[in-house]
Amino acid sequence: MTRTRTRTRPGKGLQRGALLIEVLVAALLSAFALLAFAALQSRASSAEFEALQRSQALVLMEDMVARLNANRARADEYLVDGPVGAGAVEDCGGKTGAALDLCQWSNLIRGSNETRGTARVGSMLNARGCVSRAAGSSHRFVVAVAWQGIVSTGGVANPCGQGSDPFTDESLRRAVASTVCVALLRDPAVGAPTPRC
């Protein structure tokens, strides 16, 4: 019986298992890429939700600004001591003027326009509304809407809702505000009105 010798190439034994290592490295890189993609999706969802809440707050703020501008002669009646929008939906029947506007605005802040089952889902998280007089002014009013965000950020300059129950963490409190200048209503026959704004 004759034996045949097979010749092996030098270094062939050293390459054994290299393909397995390449597959493991590729799987590891793919896993990191998928984790990064999942983190990106999560961050995008958070940003989308924050933007939705801000747009709702802007709509509610502009609603009260329009109500205040429509009833300038009684602008002082729109001032509230603290934030509105906490608690259950109010019955606005029997109210008129600024009291009716504040009641309806407060219900909108609570999310009374949109419901899912029995839950009111038409507003931001822990939303509150404020109408105050601008510091050092008798004819400027600040309309603000505050709500709770879901991602920590820096503090908000507007004090609406600051220190109240849902806003225990300042880094989650968000607010939008608009200053309304109420023009002086005068009869032109009496004299020229002084500029106020």
Side-chain angles (χ1 to χ4, degrees):
M1 199 167 180
T2 2
R3 257 185 182 187
T4 349
R5 251 181 174 185
T6 55
R7 292 181 89 184
T8 57
R9 279 188 256 153
K12 186 175 181 186
L14 297 175
Q15 288 186 357
R16 185 168 285 172
L19 181 62
L20 181 61
I21 291 174
E22 288 176 5
V23 168
L24 288 174
V25 168
L28 185 64
L29 289 175
S30 297
F32 278 124
L34 288 174
L35 285 173
F37 181 72
L40 179 68
Q41 283 296 102
S42 172
R43 200 170 249 180
S45 294
S46 297
E48 181 183 9
F49 184 68
E50 290 276 355
L52 172 68
Q53 290 198 110
R54 179 172 292 282
S55 66
Q56 287 178 329
L58 288 169
V59 167
L60 289 171
M61 180 194 67
E62 287 299 323
D63 178 61
M64 180 47 79
V65 166
R67 291 172 191 253
L68 188 63
N69 276 324
N71 198 4
R72 293 178 183 203
R74 300 191 180 275
D76 288 338
E77 295 176 13
Y78 286 88
L79 296 172
V80 291
D81 290 331
V84 299
V89 173
E90 296 177 48
D91 180 18
C92 298
K95 296 184 179 185
T96 60
L100 177 62
D101 285 344
L102 284 168
C103 180
Q104 290 173 342
W105 188 55
S106 183
N107 285 341
L108 289 172
I109 289 172
R110 289 181 183 100
S112 64
N113 272 359
E114 186 177 342
T115 58
R116 181 174 293 144
T118 59
R120 298 192 184 324
V121 295
S123 189
M124 300 79 62
L125 296 174
N126 295 323
R128 301 292 184 268
C130 303
V131 180
S132 59
R133 196 179 301 279
S137 175
S138 62
H139 55 276
R140 291 181 186 268
F141 298 85
V142 178
V143 176
V145 176
W147 71 97
Q148 180 181 340
I150 57 173
V151 178
S152 294
T153 60
V156 178
N158 187 283
C160 183
Q162 192 172 31
S164 64
D165 185 31
F167 304 113
T168 53
D169 185 0
E170 257 319 282
S171 67
L172 293 177
R173 186 174 67 90
R174 310 282 191 270
V176 292
S178 179
T179 303
V180 180
C181 183
V182 177
L184 194 58
L185 302 174
R186 289 195 179 164
D187 185 0
V190 175
T194 56
R196 298 178 78 181
C197 303

